[in-house]
Amino acid sequence: MISPKPTSKLKLKFKLKLPPIKAPPLSAGYRQWRRQFLLERIPWACGLGMGLQLVFLAIALLIELPLAERSEEGAAALTLAHYWLPVWEAGLGIAMLTLIWLLAQCPKFRRAPQRLILLFPFALLIVPELPDLLFLTPRSFHLNLLAIIVFVYQAILLPVYWRQHLIAQVIALSTLPLSFVWIFATQWQEIQAKAQTEAGLISSNFASLFSILSLQLLMAAIALLIVWLQERFFVREYELRDRLQLFLHAISHDLRPPAMGTIMLLQQIRDQQGEAEITGAMLEQMLASGDRQLRLIDSLTAAHRTEAQLQLQLESVSLHGLISSLLQEMRPLLEESQATVQLLISRDVPAVQADPLQLRRVYENLLSNALQYNAAGLRLELDAELREGQLYCTVCDDGRGMTQEQCEQLFDRYSRALNARHPLHLGLGLYICRQIIEAHGGTIDVASESGIGTTFKFILALEDV
């Protein structure tokens, strides 16, 4: 029921806190899909990597070594160790890829499979080519080709987590410069001796290193761009799915209260003994409820066409009249919950420049949530105070309250319910409230203390502002 306005007005101090500016978090649906995608792709990537190692082994045994034997210098130098080295390198690569596959089966890595992306450069390049990297054998083109293959391989097979790809590229790109540093540090005297007999040896080595690194950097940048673009495509796809889900939930969330009010009113008429009598006030209330449902459908449809951006129809709104009409419509719900509402907003409060339908949604969501998450007998106070050309509005209750952590997450899109009796509630109403208030150029905040109650505070601009 609605109690008369008391003589003493509730005074509240406001301490509005602006939300931090940060990138919106990835949706839970996308994060779950990305994790499952990696868990399915990593075994395929390991299998293809083993196939590549066997291809490199065949090239070394059937092409590279026979060509070396035909050369005059190579024929005398080749031994059994030269034939065994490619087999050893391929075996190391296959062993590393097998280790990655086994780690992908462990629960720890299944929770965060993106860490396995960092191991592929070791499996395909660093571990198999470790002897060549340490002693810098004359296979620089071979090492350069392997690094490029690693970039393309990961970009095609594992096109998510671009940051992990960047780290993996840095690992692969650092192998050749580190090899040169190792050689110069361990064989500096021999290099100096050769440099005295062979002019330009050191400068030619650095020129070769620069050309190889330039090509690797180019291919790494292209591969990283491919991964980033593909990941943005997947993120965008899930954002569109979330918007569609938001639209559907907004319809069900906003149409439920007026429909429930009408149903409860009709139930009261049905329960009357004898002939049911519909007064003019009841008929007006049902007509107003049906009209508002139609306007909500039109508003939500328009918002969906414009990618969920609110289209405000601003006009002069009397806050006292709007809330009085809303409380009259919600009377059956308030009586069922045995709730008491004190309307502290004076009729003399200046009109605000707002969209009456959207502003009504804010108050309706706040009141509905208060009734939903608190026990019967709740006391509600609705107030508004003029400050510096703006209207500071509050909705207070003396319910169960919330923790600070719950308050910080309350306006998120899919914040979970605070009451275990409603585990399927998605917390969409307060997210919509924030969108509406911010579309009006204001801010909304909440202050609560467990066991004492909750106060929602938001700002509205006056008609002449």
Side-chain angles (χ1 to χ4, degrees), residues 195-208:
Q196 294 176 356
T197 57
E198 300 180 23
L201 175 64
I202 297 179
S203 59
S204 63
N205 285 336
F206 276 103
S208 175

Side-chain angles (χ1 to χ4, degrees), residues 307-369:
E307 296 188 348
Q309 296 297 318
L310 290 171
Q311 301 297 310
L312 300 180
Q313 304 295 327
L314 298 178
E315 59 183 78
S316 177
V317 179
S318 169
L319 199 58
H320 183 277
L322 183 141
I323 298 177
S324 297
S325 174
L326 172 62
L327 293 178
Q328 184 66 29
E329 182 178 314
M330 295 185 66
R331 179 187 291 271
L333 295 175
L334 295 170
E335 290 180 349
E336 182 187 31
S337 301
Q338 302 176 9
T340 302
V341 180
Q342 292 184 346
L343 182 56
L344 306 180
I345 301 175
S346 172
R347 296 179 184 272
D348 300 330
V349 169
V352 293
Q353 191 72 12
D355 185 324
L357 178 62
Q358 302 297 345
L359 186 56
R360 187 186 180 106
R361 291 175 69 187
V362 173
Y363 276 100
E364 186 177 73
N365 281 327
L366 295 179
L367 294 174
S368 299
N369 284 344

Side-chain angles (χ1 to χ4, degrees), residues 86-154:
V87 178
W88 172 255
E89 292 176 350
L92 286 176
I94 292 174
M96 277 291 298
L97 291 167
T98 303
L99 176 62
I100 295 175
W101 180 82
L102 291 175
L103 290 176
Q105 314 307 314
C106 298
K108 182 177 180 180
F109 284 94
R110 292 186 70 84
R111 289 192 294 268
Q114 68 273 14
R115 290 179 290 183
L116 297 176
I117 294 177
L118 305 180
L119 297 181
F120 279 98
F122 291 94
L124 296 176
L125 176 63
I126 298 176
V127 172
E129 305 297 331
L130 191 59
D132 294 324
L133 292 171
L134 290 178
F135 302 105
L136 208 62
T137 59
R139 301 177 66 190
S140 59
F141 177 76
H142 180 254
L143 294 177
N144 179 43
L145 179 63
L146 274 180
I148 292 174
I149 289 176
V150 170
F151 302 149
V152 177
Y153 167 93
Q154 293 195 172

